Each structure stands twice: as structure tokens, then as C-alpha cells.
């Protein structure tokens, strides 16, 4: 089913190209293709377009940090789904909503929306770039808030026939994995996810249904995490050892998400170790302080453990941790533990403290999560001898650097188990450094070798195209379905399509099974006419086969009924009235009657020759042949009269013989044969009189 | 044929009794709602008891007693063990409502229909769903999808949609169309043409006064307060009271009033704590205010939460507002306060909902209100003197007997089983147990040393001479070590009981925390009610999921032996009694509008007085659909749709030749097709090989005169409404609709439109415009 530019399967070759285009599913990473950062994945299928995530790249600034939005037309996107509040997944949203032609709908979870605003407002304040480089300002964020709609986990939402819902993803508070269903084809976008339950978050759920395509993160590639308890122990041990030796511990961490988990660990550790109570823990983030209200509210999005604790006291009211607003408020006397942002040590408080503490070997720096390439934090993991300080000077790096990953991304074990449970036929890897991703792909390939799974690692802007042979199923209901038809019988009715569901029903049932209604329009016009009513009748009889005359029961005026369709009444001496129910044939009949009546009143009565009728039959046949010939010429060009009255049609060296009587066509070229046959059939039905039996 | 659907009311038809209905879909039995009234009359549950064992799933729609009150009783007494589904708030608030009911009852009577434990076990295994979550049932219910949708009225209130094979059965009772302070209106209107709609007629005869009423409500309250009177609002535990709280909060803030407001139920603070974390379930305004400024609407500034009446009695004198449960005045704090306040003309009792039938509240809502009412004042008093001694002796005797019996049984067991099951009695294992649960402050001897406390010791009947119990440790080993039975490590309730009996430390904790609800903890501004204390206790007991265990629960009430003392008294009702409708239910008018809009193929009416049911039935027969059912209790009606349907595959070839026209959400086209078979033996539609037979043309569309008029005038045609809804276009031409105008749904056929006029150019022009409003197929 999946391919990257491969020819579609043989079965589809005969399908008309129009429908093939509709069945093509395109997935294009606009960001996070073979990289980490600026997540943004574009997907389109059956004319519906979805964008997953809208992040920025933390290592770049200004326009360069954006995903490749210029590859797509934002105005055609129906739905934009944001998985979680991290900058690399949500931070270009204000730009996309306010500065592009996007006019679709945006969805995220409640918790994500609440934190999104705080986080981006902070981001705008903190990022010290020139005004031209500013992608958006605070007002853009506030305006974007009105456009963002919220959804709850598992809640199914339908927009323009696109159905989607989300599952818990672990990772951070409010993080979601989106399952999108377009016409029965399901795509799962995991965003960042973790299958391991921690202190406050639930593990990512395993969706009920297997998706056709799984777009999955590959941040940790083939690495394996240590178990949570070992990591926690290493973390607390490093801190305990350092402070007992009189050192300071710096934990550069992003303000939200994992930081809350680390604080829960520290708070609990301190509670259990009274000897540490005189060592202060600082948490240097006013932003996190603000977000605490969100953490204290959306308890329902967290795991059972927290929910049970919540019944007693709010676990997010820390007992041993105090906030720290800036480095000026910090008195650096003796051992302490400071958690500060940013996590990459690019600038800000974490960098200021790093610069002060890096040359003392008693101190320690614990890097608690994934660090993006190009940041200082990434550099010091490889423990260089020297580092460059913010003021440009170099200093020896003596402090101990520990890398203990708490970042809630899936590792290889989780990824492969997850995929094995889901068994998606197509896997698209995003959100991973290119070589990590490559190794993951290779390893997954071997693991899934026996199950015909396609694993694709597109680069940014590189489209993945797949074809889905979606069967369109319709439900025939109501009167039309009273009897299930046998093969060969015909079914005629109204096909009603809503979203991607089809129903076939009789016109009379339309108002029962849909909100649509049908109407009958009765028309009544009066025509001035002062002649005798009998003349009209006579004329009508000449044209129409069935003209019945009677008298109206109520008003006792003479009436004429033409083919049971149009009724003429002589309302008064000067007027006749005509009424009928609208439909194309009736309208035509009535028009002809109007013309006829008007003609009668304009002309004097004439003597009509009866015998003409006989002769005209021969004439009309000849006339008809002429018309047919002319029409065929206009269609095919070279049309000649051949032997035994057959027409010979030549098109591009192909020859077709058409028998005018039977409509049979002979030709070596199947395509031409079919075209000529169809054309002749249509010409004939156009030239011949309309059958009146229609009712 | 369609999916088979049967409805059997078990309670709550042709009256205002609690709701409980059995809906069977293709043989899968749903019990929708499981209500009881404030009298807890077991005879109401008679029909339920007969079918309880056949039920496959229970769906709960609201968190009040009328919708879920009988659940604990049914689970305990009738063996109702089907999975239960509800939204998170219904589960949580329903639990609190039942706690409050139980505690209110227990305080004034020897209420023994169910215990706190029964409530817990009933609510523990509820599967919680979110709105619009499509939950696919498995097993017997394969193919059935259930989804809760917002109903309004109460937080988490649910309209249930049950779908099978594309046919919807919708259960919607007590919904509210209006948007309120804390809730959005129902989404019921977004469903159209379901196969079956089950709804209530409760409010069919009531019409709500316009919105100005709200001001009157607050004015009445503030007037009474200014005159030095007290205001009592009898409320439910965790339902409509939330809306009232917000109304009062806002009004107090707006007018900077200083009169105290108290919210008094046994679970008041837990209620508000939970409600604070339910923002996802509330209305847009609340969500928005939290998202932008992190203002949680339920961080209350003016309302004090109380969990026992002595706190209220200790409050400073002066006018105050008290919201107290129960709304029926039958029990709970509201009952006591009413008795105290009723005789003072300055006071006001303001009812915000219609009292349940036959309750004191209903009695007082009569017009004119009674001058005096008889009430029973009951209090639970601790036993003293001889009674206490007698009680204790009795208890001791019972305990001894039980202990003896238990030890005998234990002996028997230990004798009988020489297998690994005996591990429980191995002190070593108990130690590991203890290490596993460091929080377990309940004495570690909980399970292990039980036998040491036996009074005397009983020789095993098989032994020839008395001997100390000896246990042969014959545990089995396999590759992974000792084979264990996980159940042995679960601390059982009875063990807890034993622990409580034997360990004085534990008793002290309980005594301290549970002294008949008089405990008032105010610590770091977090106000906790006694319930949370039990929770803490029970979680100490290793019971991590917050469930109350039996020991703690019974201790709460029985630490001090007590009895109920009742006396009848007559209360002179001199205070002002007012009833204002704050039920937050759709009123008669909007019920009719919604029903006409939803236009179900079949309609089942339940829950409402006989008159209201009959009234709504007649209305619906005329205006909504021809199939309206009003079943009696235990009468099974078959609402299987007589809909015929079959599935076909639409072939690519056919679809590539079909041009769809877009009409709102729909796309329509006429198809003529020939039936064929696919490889998988499905019927499929192929393009027709012979010329299609002509068909009668169909005009599809909905002409609204009011919309058509501006359209015509925009085209430069003079247009105005003439008499009788006719539209006069230009000078001579008129367009009008004939037939029953304004009727929607199953009863109506196609629209009949008449256009008439003399032969002129305008006629054809206007006809063209008229045609443009339709699609011709």
C-alpha cells in the first residue's frame, strides 16, 4: 500500500485517474524530519488536510526557527492539532494563526492550552531578539487563545468529515497522541510520548485500533533507558554526595514538564531525609510558579497515584522547595540545589550559575533530560577541559557533569513494544537526529522483517505518498431497501453523502433520514386569450398524443389536461390559466403551450393540411441521419459512408465501423469502439423524441 | 431489519419517582440510571430486583439520588455486578452525594439499607468516560458503541448515545438547553433523526419565566438579610448547588456584601475540592477565565464550607445565608435548620427546586403553604450509664464469640492446608509485607500474629494432646523462587478489624480523628473534612485507592456507642417560603423545540406526572413523530425500528461518474446503478449498462420565505409579505407555501410551494430565482 514514488499496484491501473488522486495520502514533515525541534507534519487525504504540531527549532531564532510553512498553502488546512505545550511543538502557533492565511480550526487539550499561554508569553519576554526577528508578540498570543478549541482525552471530534480523538501520551501534563480517521483510513501521530508511568503522569495509552499509518517520534533511537528507580537513585545519590561534600548542584531544566517530576522526587527525598532539611532547594522559575495552578487543577489528566494523594493534600504544594526569582535574590553561601532554566544553558539563570560554579570540582551539574545539539549543555556532556563563559572568557570545566535522563520519551524497548502491539503497516519516523533515526529504522526493519511493514524516514519537505484502496460503502435505507435486490437488478435513488458516509434512499424518504427536505413547486400562470377554447384543444392534439378535456368540478369551466401533466383552464372569456408541477419536462411542455396559445391569438386561424403527417416521417428520418452524421463529424472528424450503410470512422489510424441501425460498432481499438458506441447512443437519445412514459 | 430495541421501565413512569429503565439492544441489557428517592423505599426497587442479574451494563446519567441512589443497594442486595459507566464528575459527585445521604440518615436513624462500604464498592468499579468518547463494548455487546454527551443540568450530566449498526438510541433526561454559569447547554440538539429517543416529560407543563428572575432571586435574599433574617436554601449535595454557589459568589462580589454564606453538607469541602479539578467539564466561560488568568471559579471568597452543624452554631450571630443538604428537608442539616428557623417571621426558606413527591419540601411548596408542620427531630446520642454498660457487655460477648469462631476456623484452615497458603502465618513473611508498605503505621501485627491473641488456646482436634500451633513451612519452590499467592499479601478488612481491636495506637488515631465529626482541621488554609481524614487513615492502612475500609468506616460511627432518640414536634411555619425554579432543566417550551428538532423516528416518554406525560405525548404525536410510546412499569415495549436497510459497496466506476452537489453538510446525487457482487460476496453497485430509466425529478432544498425575501430584493425585485405568509414579488407574482407550515420531522412530507402570476417576463425571472434555491435531481 505504501510507496515512495513506486508505481501503484496493478489492480489500480485501470481505475480512472480522478479517483486515484483522491485516494492518495500525502505526509510531509515541514519540521522534525530527520531532526529534533520544530515539529510540524502535514497530511492530506481525500481533499482533507491536517497539520500536526506547530513548533519552533530551539537552536535557531527568527524565521529560521519556523517549520517550512512556505511549502504548503495554509488556507487549505482544515484542522491543526497540537500534541503538547513544549516550544518545539507549539511555539509557532501564534505566528501560524495570526500571520498566515490559515483559517481552519485548532485543537489541543485543556491543560496544554492553559500552559501554552503562560509559556509563550514567557518565551516572548525572554527571547532577546530584534523587533524584526520577533515572530509574534504577546497580543498575537492572546488573540490566538480565542481561536484555540479544547478537547478532552478520548473525546471524538468531527470537522468536515475528519474524525479525530486523542490518547494520553505520558511525556508532560496534557500531552496527547492524536488518532485521525479520514474515510476509514487511520493515522496515529504520537507526538512525544512515554510508555512509562512516573510520579505524576500516566503512561501513554495503547490505542484500541491499529492505525494504517503511525507517525512516531524517534528521539532516543535505539537507546535504552535505565529503569526509573535506578535513575531516581542515581539522581538523588549524586545530589546527596555533592551537598554532603559542601558542593552546589545545578540542574538546568526546562521550566515545565519534567521539572515538576524532578521537584516531586526532590521533595519526597528531602521529606525522607531530615538531615538534609537545612540544605535549600531553589526553583528558579517564576513561570513554573504560575503554572502550578494548572498542575493543581488538571489532576484528572494525571495518574491514579496523584489523584489519590490529591484526596489528602495537594502533592504540588512542595514543603522543601522555595522559589527563586533572580540571581540577585540568591545568596550563594554553602551547599544548595538549584533548578533553573533554560535546559540548554544558552543564557539566563542556569547559565549565570554555571559560569560561577563550573570551575569548582566540588560542584555538580545534573543534566536531567534530552539536550538539543548546538547548546552548551550538549557540549559539556562530552566533558571538555574548558568552556567559554558568557563574557567570552574561557574557564576550566572542573565541576562534575552527570547526565541522567528523565525526559519522558520512549526508548527503543518502549517504541518496539508499542509498535509490535499496534502493528501498523506503515511507520513514519520523525523527531529524531538523522543518524539515531537511521539506526532505529534499521533495527525496526530487522525486527519487523517478517510482517511486511514499511518504515520511512522522510526529510523535511520530502513527501511520502501512499495509496489507500478505500472501499466506499453505502447503506441503502427506507423504502428503497424493502427488498434486497438480486444481481443484475437496478437501483435508483438519491445518494446522500455526509462526511464519508453514504446512504441511498428514495426521494420520498429524504426528509426522514436526513435534514434535507424535498419540495414540490406548483406553477400557475394566466395567459390572456380571447379565442375559442376548442382551437387550443385542436392545436394541442396535433402536437401531443394525449389531450383530455373535461370540466372543472368546482368552477364548471372547461379544462384540458395534456399528458396528465399540464392543466389548462378557461378561467374567463379573456384569460386562460395553466398550472403544473415543476420539473424540466413539464416546464418545457408548458412553454410550448404558452407559445402555442400566444401564436393562436396572434395569427388568424389557418386551414391545416392533414396529409403532411405521413410524408414527414420519411423526411424526418432523412433529417435525422443528416444530424447524426454531422454530430459524428464534429466529434470524430473523419466520418465516411462505407459499405452496407455502415459508417467508417477513422481516428489516428484506428478504424471503427458503425452500424446505424443496431448501433453496433466494430473496431480493433477497444477505446475507440467504446467511445463511438457511447457517442452514438447519446446522439440517438438526443435526436429521438423524448419518451413520454416518464413518471 | 434494524437493530432490535426494547425498553422496560423499572421505575419512574407516569410519576416523579426515581428513574430506572431497562433498555435491551439486540439482547444486550442496559440498565440506564438506577435511582432512588429520599425516602429510600425498597418497594420501589421491586422491579429492578427481578432483572438485576440479567443486566449487562449500567449507564448513569446524573450524580443525584434520583439517578443513581439505588446503585449501592442494588449492587449489594440484588447482585448487580455489571460494569458501570459514567462520566468522572458523575462518579465522583455521585459518591459524595451518597456519602452525604448515608451520613444524614445515619445521624437520625438506624439506617441499614447500605453502608459506606457498599457505596464505595458500588462506585469503585465505574468505568469513567469523557464526553463524546466512543466506547466500544466487547464480548456480548460486540458492535455496540456507547458515548456520553453533555446534558447540562448537573456537572458531568450525560445524554447517552448507544449506537449499533449506524442506528442511534438516545437517552436524554433532565437536560438543559440554557447555558449557565458553570455549565454549557446540552448538545442534544446536535443529534438528528435517531432511531429511538428516550426522554422525560418531567417539565413538559412548566414554563420558565424569563431571565430577569435571577435578579429577583438575589434581591429576595439580600432583602431578607437586610431585615435581619436568615436565609436557608435547601440544596442537593453536589449538583445544582454549584450553580447557586457561583450566583451568590458573583452577587456578593458585585455588591460587596458582607453577610456570611455557609455551605453545609457532610462532604462540603471534599465536594468543592473535587469540583475545582473538574474545570474540563464546565462551561466555556469558566474554562476561559482559567486559561487566561488561572482564576478557578470555585476558589470561593465569600462562602465558608462547613461539615458539621456545631460550626454553624458557633458562627457569630446575625443574618446569614446557609446552603444545606438535603433539598427535600427530609433529613440532613437542612432539616434541623428548618426546624430551628421556621418559627421566625424574619427568616426565609428559599427552595430552588421542586421537592420530591411526598417530602417535607414538597409539602411546604404547596400554595398556600401549611401553617404548621409535624416533624420528627432525631438525634444520635452517646450511650451513658447502664445502657452503655449493657451495650459494652453485649459487644464484648459478641467479640469473644467471634474471635473464638474466627480462631476455630483458622485452626481448621491451617490444619487442612499444609500447602503454601499458610504463609500468612509465617512471621517472616509479615516482615516483608511490612517492608513493602513503609507507610503502614497500622500495627504490622495486622495479619501475622493474630493467633497469639486468642483467648486461651484450642488444641487441634486431631492432636492427641494440647500443643502450640505448629506450622510446617512446606512452601513450594520453582525456578524463580518461592511460589506465592498474591492474595496472601493483601491486608484484608477483617484483619484490619482485628488490628483495630488489638492495637491501642490505632484506636487512638481513630478516636482522635473521628470523634463524631466534631473535628475541625484548619491547617495551612486547607480545610479538610472528616472524610479526608478517613481517607488518610485508610491509605495508612495500605489501602491506596482511597477506599474507606470497613474498620475505619464503622469506627467513625461506632467509636462511641450511641442510639437514636426521636421526638415528634409541630413546627409553626411563620418564615417566608419561596420557590424559584433553579433546577436547570429545559422547560416545556424548549423541550418541545428540542424534540421537534431532534425528530426521532420513535419516541419513548418516561419520568413525569401522568398529566405531563400525556400532554407531551399528544403534542409529539401531532408535531414530532407518529410513534410515541409511554410504557408502564415493567411493560416491555418494542421500539425496534421497522427500518429496512442493506449495505452495498459503491464501485469506483460508478463513483467516478457521479457528480455530487453540495448542500450544507450534505452532498447529494442521483444514482442509477446495477447490482453486482464483489469478490467477497458483497453487493456492489456498478454503472448501469442500459440507458437509465427516466425518473421523476426531485427538487431538494428547504425554502425559507424569510431568507428568500432578502435574496429577491438583492436581485432588484420589489418584494413584500402579503397576508397568509405569501410573498408578493414584483407587481403580480405571488409565492406561497401550502400545507402544514412550520412542521418538521417525521409527520411532514415534501414542501408544497405555489408560484402564480400572469404570463410576463418577471414570472420567468422569479421562477428562475426560485429554482436556484433548490437542487434538481
Amino acid at each position: 500500500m505504501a510507496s515512495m514514488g513506486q508505481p501503484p499496484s496493478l489492480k489500480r491501473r485501470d481505475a480512472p485517474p480522478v479517483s486515484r488522486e483522491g485516494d492518495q495520502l500525502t505526509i510531509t514533515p515541514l519540521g522534525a524530519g530527520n531532526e529534533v525541534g520544530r515539529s510540524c507534519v502535514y497530511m492530506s487525504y481525500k481533499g482533507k488536510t491536517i497539520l500536526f504540531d506547530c513548533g519552533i527549532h530551539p537552536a535557531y531564532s527568527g524565521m529560521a526557527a519556523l517549520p517550512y510553512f512556505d511549502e504548503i498553502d495554509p488556507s487549505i488546512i482544515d484542522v491543526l492539532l497540537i500534541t503538547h505545550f513544549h516550544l518545539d511543538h507549539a511555539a509557532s502557533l501564534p505566528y501560524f494563526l495570526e500571520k498566515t492565511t490559515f483559517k481552519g480550526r485548532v485543537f489541543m487539550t485543556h491543560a496544554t492550552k492553559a500552559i501554552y499561554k503562560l509559556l509563550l508569553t514567557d518565551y516572548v519576554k525572554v527571547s532577546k531578539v530584534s523587533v524584526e526577528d520577533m515572530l509574534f508578540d504577546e497580543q498575537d498570543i492572546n488573540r490566538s487563545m480565542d481561536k484555540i478549541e479544547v478537547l478532552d482525552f478520548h473525546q471524538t471530534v468531527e470537522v468536515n468529515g475528519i474524525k479525530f480523538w486523542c490518547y494520553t501520551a505520558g511525556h508532560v501534563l496534557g500531552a496527547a497522541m492524536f488518532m485521525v480517521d479520514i474515510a476509514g483510513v487511520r493515522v496515529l501521530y504520537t507526538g512525544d510520548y512515554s510508555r512509562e508511568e512516573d510520579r505524576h503522569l500516566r503512561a501513554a495509552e495503547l490505542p484500541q485500533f491499529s492505525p494504517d499509518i503511525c507517525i512516531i517520534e524517534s528521539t532516543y533511537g535505539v537507546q535504552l533507558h535505565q529503569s526509573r528507580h535506578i535513575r531516581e537513585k542515581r539522581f538523588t545519590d549524586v545530589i546527596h554526595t555533592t551537598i554532603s561534600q559542601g558542593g552546589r548542584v545545578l540542574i538546568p531544566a526546562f521550566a515545565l514538564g519534567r521539572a515538576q517530576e524532578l521537584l516531586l522526587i526532590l521533595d519526597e527525598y528531602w521529606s525522607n531525609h531530615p538531615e538534609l532539611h537545612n540544605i535549600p532547594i531553589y526553583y528558579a522559575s517564576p513561570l513554573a510558579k504560575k503554572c502550578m495552578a494548572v498542575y493543581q487543577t488538571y489532576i484528572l489528566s494525571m495518574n491514579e497515584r496523584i489523584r489519590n494523594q490529591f484526596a489528602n493534600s495537594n502533592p504540588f504544594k512542595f514543603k522543601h522547595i522555595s522559589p527563586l526569582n533572580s540571581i540577585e535574590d540568591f545568596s550563594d553561601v554553602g551547599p544548595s540545589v538549584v533548578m533553573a532554566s533554560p535546559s540548554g544553558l544558552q543564557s539566563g539563570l542556569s547559565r549565570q550559575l554555571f559560569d560561577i560554579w563550573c570551575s569548582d570540582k566540588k560542584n555538580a551539574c545534573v543534566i536531567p533530560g534530552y539536550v538539543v545539539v548546538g547548546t552548551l549543555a550538549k557540549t559539556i556532556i562530552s566533558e571538555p577541559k574548558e568552556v567559554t563563559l558568557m563574557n567570552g572568557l574561557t574557564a576550566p570545566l572542573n565541576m562534575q557533569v552527570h547526565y541522567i535522563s528523565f525526559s519522558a520519551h520512549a526508548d527503543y524497548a518502549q517504541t518496539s513494544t508499542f509498535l509490535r502491539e499496534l502493528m501498523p503497516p506503515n511507520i513514519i519516523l520523525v523527531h529524531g537526529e538523522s543518524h539515531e533515526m537511521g539506526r532505529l529504522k534499521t533495527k525496526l526493519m530487522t525486527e519487523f522483517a517478517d510482517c511486511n511493514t514499511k518504515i520511512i524516514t522522510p526529510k523535511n519537505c520530502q513527501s511520502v505518498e501512499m495509496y489507500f484502496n478505500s472501499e466506499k460503502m453505502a447503506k441503502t435505507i427506507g423504502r428503497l431497501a424493502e427488498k434486497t435486490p438480486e444481481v443484475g437488478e437496478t437501483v435508483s435513488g438519491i445518494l446522500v453523502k455526509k462526511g464519508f458516509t453514504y446512504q441511498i434512499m428514495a426521494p420520498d424518504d429524504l426528509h426522514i433520514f436526513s435534514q434535507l427536505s424535498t419540495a414540490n413547486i406548483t406553477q400557475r400562470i394566466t395567459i390572456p386569450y380571447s379565442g375559442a377554447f376548442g382551437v387550443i384543444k385542436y392545436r394541442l392534439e396535433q402536437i401531443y398524443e394525449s389531450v383530455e378535456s373535461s370540466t372543472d368540478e368546482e368552477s364548471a369551466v372547461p379544462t384540458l389536461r395534456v399528458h396528465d401533466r399540464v392543466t389548462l383552464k378557461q378561467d374567463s372569456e379573456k384569460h386562460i390559466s395553466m398550472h403544473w408541477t415543476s420539473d424540466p419536462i413539464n416546464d418545457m411542455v408548458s412553454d410550448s403551450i404558452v407559445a402555442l396559445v400566444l401564436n393562436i391569438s396572434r395569427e388568424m386561424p389557418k386551414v391545416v393540411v392533414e396529409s403532411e403527417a405521413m410524408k414527414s416521417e420519411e423526411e424526418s428520418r432523412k433529417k435525422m441521419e443528416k444530424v447524426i452524421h454531422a454530430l459524428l463529424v464534429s466529434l470524430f472528424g473523419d466520418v465516411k459512408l462505407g459499405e452496407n450503410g455502415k459508417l467508417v470512422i477513422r481516428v489516428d489510424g484506428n478504424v471503427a465501423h458503425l452500424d446505424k441501425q443496431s448501433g453496433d460498432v466494430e473496431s480493433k481499438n477497444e477505446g475507440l469502439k467504446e467511445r463511438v458506441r457511447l457517442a452514438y447512443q447519446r446522439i440517438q437519445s438526443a435526436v429521438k423524441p423524448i419518451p413520454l412514459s416518464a413518471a | 431489519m434494524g437493530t432490535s430495541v426494547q425498553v422496560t421501565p423499572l421505575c419512574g413512569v407516569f410519576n416523579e419517582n426515581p428513574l430506572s429503565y431497562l433498555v435491551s439492544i439486540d439482547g444486550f441489557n442496559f440498565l440506564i440510571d438506577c435511582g432512588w428517592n429520599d425516602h429510600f423505599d425498597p418497594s420501589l426497587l421491586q422491579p429492578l430486583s427481578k432483572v438485576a442479574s440479567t443486566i449487562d451494563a449500567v449507564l448513569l446519567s446524573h450524580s443525584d439520588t434520583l439517578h443513581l441512589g439505588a446503585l449501592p443497594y442494588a449492587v449489594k442486595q440484588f447482585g448487580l455486578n455489571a460494569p458501570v459507566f459514567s462520566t468522572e464528575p458523575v462518579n465522583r459527585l455521585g459518591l459524595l452525594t451518597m456519602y452525604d445521604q448515608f451520613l444524614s440518615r445515619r445521624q437520625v436513624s438506624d439506617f441499614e439499607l447500605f453502608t459506606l462500604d457498599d457505596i464505595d464498592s458500588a462506585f469503585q468499579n465505574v468505568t469513567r468516560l469523557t464526553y463524546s468518547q466512543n466506547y466500544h463494548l466487547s464480548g456480548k455487546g460486540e458492535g455496540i458503541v456507547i458515548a456520553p454527551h453533555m446534558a447540562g443540568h448537573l456537572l458531568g450530566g450525560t445524554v447517552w448515545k448507544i449506537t449499533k449498526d449506524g442506528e442511534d438510541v438516545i437517552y436524554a433526561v433532565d437536560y438543559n438547553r440554557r447555558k449557565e454559569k458553570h455549565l454549557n447547554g446540552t448538545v442534544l440538539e446536535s443529534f438528528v433523526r435517531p432511531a429511538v429517543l428516550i426522554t422525560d416529560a418531567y417539565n413538559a407543563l412548566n414554563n420558565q419565566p424569563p431571565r430577569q428572575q435571577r435578579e429577583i432571586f438575589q434581591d429576595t435574599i439580600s432583602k431578607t438579610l437586610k431585615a435581619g433574617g436568615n436565609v436557608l436554601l435547601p440544596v442537593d449535595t453536589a449538583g445544582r448547588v454549584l450553580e447557586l454557589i457561583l450566583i451568590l459568589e458573583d452577587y456578593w462580589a458585585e455588591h460587596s456584601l458582607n453577610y456570611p454564606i455557609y455551605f453545609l453538607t457532610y462532604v462540603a469541602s471534599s465536594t468543592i475540592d473535587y469540583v475545582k479539578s473538574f474545570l474540563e467539564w464546565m462551561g466555556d466561560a469558566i474554562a476561559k477565565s482559567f486559561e487566561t488568568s488561572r482564576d478557578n471559579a470555585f476558589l470561593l471568597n465569600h462562602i465558608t464550607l462547613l461539615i458539621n452543624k456545631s460550626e454553624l452554631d458557633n458562627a457569630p450571630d446575625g443574618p446569614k445565608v446557609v446552603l444545606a443538604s438535603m433539598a427535600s428537608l427530609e433529613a440532613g442539616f437542612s432539616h434541623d435548620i428548618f426546624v430551628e428557623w421556621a418559627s421566625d417571621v424574619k427568616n426565609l426558606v428559599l427552595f430552588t427546586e421542586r421537592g420530591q413527591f411526598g417530602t417535607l419540601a414538597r409539602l411546604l411548596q404547596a400554595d398556600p403553604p401549611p401553617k404548621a408542620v409535624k416533624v420528627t427531630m432525631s438525634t444520635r446520642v452517646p450511650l451513658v450509664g447502664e445502657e452503655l454498660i449493657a451495650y459494652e457487655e453485649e459487644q464484648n460477648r459478641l467479640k469473644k464469640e467471634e474471635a473464638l469462631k474466627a480462631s476455630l476456623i483458622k485452626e481448621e484452615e491451617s490444619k487442612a492446608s499444609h500447602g503454601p497458603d499458610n504463609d500468612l502465618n509465617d512471621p517472616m513473611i509479615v516482615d516483608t509485607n511490612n517492608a513493602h508498605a513503609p507507610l503502614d503505621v497500622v500495627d504490622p501485627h495486622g495479619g501475622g500474629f493474630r493467633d497469639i491473641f486468642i483467648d486461651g488456646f484450642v488444641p487441634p482436634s486431631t492432636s492427641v494432646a494440647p500443643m502450640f500451633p505448629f506450622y510446617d513451612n512446606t512452601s513450594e519452590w520453582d525456578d524463580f523462587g518461592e511460589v506465592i499467592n498474591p492474595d496472601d499479601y493483601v491486608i484484608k478488612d477483617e484483619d484490619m478489624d482485628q488490628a483495630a481491636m488489638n492495637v491501642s495506637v490505632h484506636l487512638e488515631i481513630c478516636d482522635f480523628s473521628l470523634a463524631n465529626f466534631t473535628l475541625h482541621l484548619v491547617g495551612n488554609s486547607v480545610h479538610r473534612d472528616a472524610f479526608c481524614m478517613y481517607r488518610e487513615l485508610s491509605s495508612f492502612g495500605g489501602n491506596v485507592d482511597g477506599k474507606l475500609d470497613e474498620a475505619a468506616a464503622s469506627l467513625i460511627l461506632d467509636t462511641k456507642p450511641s442510639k437514636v432518640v426521636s421526638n415528634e414536634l409541630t413546627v409553626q411555619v411563620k418564615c417566608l417560603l419561596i420557590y424559584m425554579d433553579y433546577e436547570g432543566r429545559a422547560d416545556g417550551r424548549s423541550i418541545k423545540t428540542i424534540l421537534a428538532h431532534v425528530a426521532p423516528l420513535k419516541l419513548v416518554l418516561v419520568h413525569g406526572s401522568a398529566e405531563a406525560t400525556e400532554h407531551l405525548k399528544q403534542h409529539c404525536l401531532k408535531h414530532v413523530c407518529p410513534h410515541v410510546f409511554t410504557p408502564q412499569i415493567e411493560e416491555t415495549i418494542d421500539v425496534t425500528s421497522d427500518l429496512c436497510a442493506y449495505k452495498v459497496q459503491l464501485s469506483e466506476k460508478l463513483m467516478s461518474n457521479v457528480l455530487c452537489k453540495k448542500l450544507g453538510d450534505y452532498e447529494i446525487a442521483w444514482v442509477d446503478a446495477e447490482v453486482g457482487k464483489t469478490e467477497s460476496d458483497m453487493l456492489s453497485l456498478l454503472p448501469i449498462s442500459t440507458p437509465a430509466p427516466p425518473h421523476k425529478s426531485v427538487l431538494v432544498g428547504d425554502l425559507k420565505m424569510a431568507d428568500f425575501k432578502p435574496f429577491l430584493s438583492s436581485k432588484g425585485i420589489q418584494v413584500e409579505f402579503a397576508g397568509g405568509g405569501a410573498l408578493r414579488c414584483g407587481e403580480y407574482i405571488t409565492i406561497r407555501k401550502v400545507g402544514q407550515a412550520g412542521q418538521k420531522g417525521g409527520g411532514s412530507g415534501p414542501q408544497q410551494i405555489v408560484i402564480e402570476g400572469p404570463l410576463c417576463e418577471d414570472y420567468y425571472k422569479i421562477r428562475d430565482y426560485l429554482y436556484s434555491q433548490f437542487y434538481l435531481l
Side-chain angles (χ1 to χ4, degrees), chain B residues 213-223 247-248 251:
Chain B
Q213 188 199 294
R214 184 149 293 171
E215 287 304 308
I216 306 174
F217 172 76
Q218 291 116 347
D219 287 350
T220 321
I221 293 178
S222 65
K223 220 181 281 166
I247 292 173
L248 291 176
Y251 188 78

Side-chain angles (χ1 to χ4, degrees), chain B residues 502-522:
Chain B
N502 299 323
V503 184
S504 59
V505 183
H506 187 194
L507 262 180
E508 266 169 35
I509 295 173
C510 296
D511 264 339
F512 152 74
S513 59
L514 309 168
N516 276 350
F517 303 102
T518 48
L519 183 81
H520 181 193
L521 276 180
V522 183

Side-chain angles (χ1 to χ4, degrees), chain A residues 118 153 156 307 472-474 476 488-489 491-493 495 497 511-512 517-518 520 522-524 526 583 587, chain B residues 88 130 132 193 646 648 650 667 669 671-673 675 682 697 701 748 751 753 755-756 759 763 767 771:
Chain A
L118 295 168
F153 291 102
T156 311
R307 283 151 93 168
K472 292 192 185 82
M473 294 303 295
T476 314
E489 287 185 70
V491 172
S492 301
L495 180 72
K497 178 186 174 196
H511 67 277
I512 299 179
S517 50
T518 53
N520 290 331
T522 311
Q523 306 195 32
R524 186 177 293 135
T526 49
D583 98 33
D587 284 359
Chain B
E88 176 89 36
T130 51
S132 319
R193 308 228 59 106
Y646 60 86
V648 286
L650 299 168
E667 282 178 51
V671 283
D672 287 303
V675 178
M682 279 283 300
S697 64
S748 73
Q751 291 182 6
I753 296 161
I755 171 168
E756 52 191 1
L759 182 69
Y763 179 86
R767 191 180 75 177
Y771 280 179

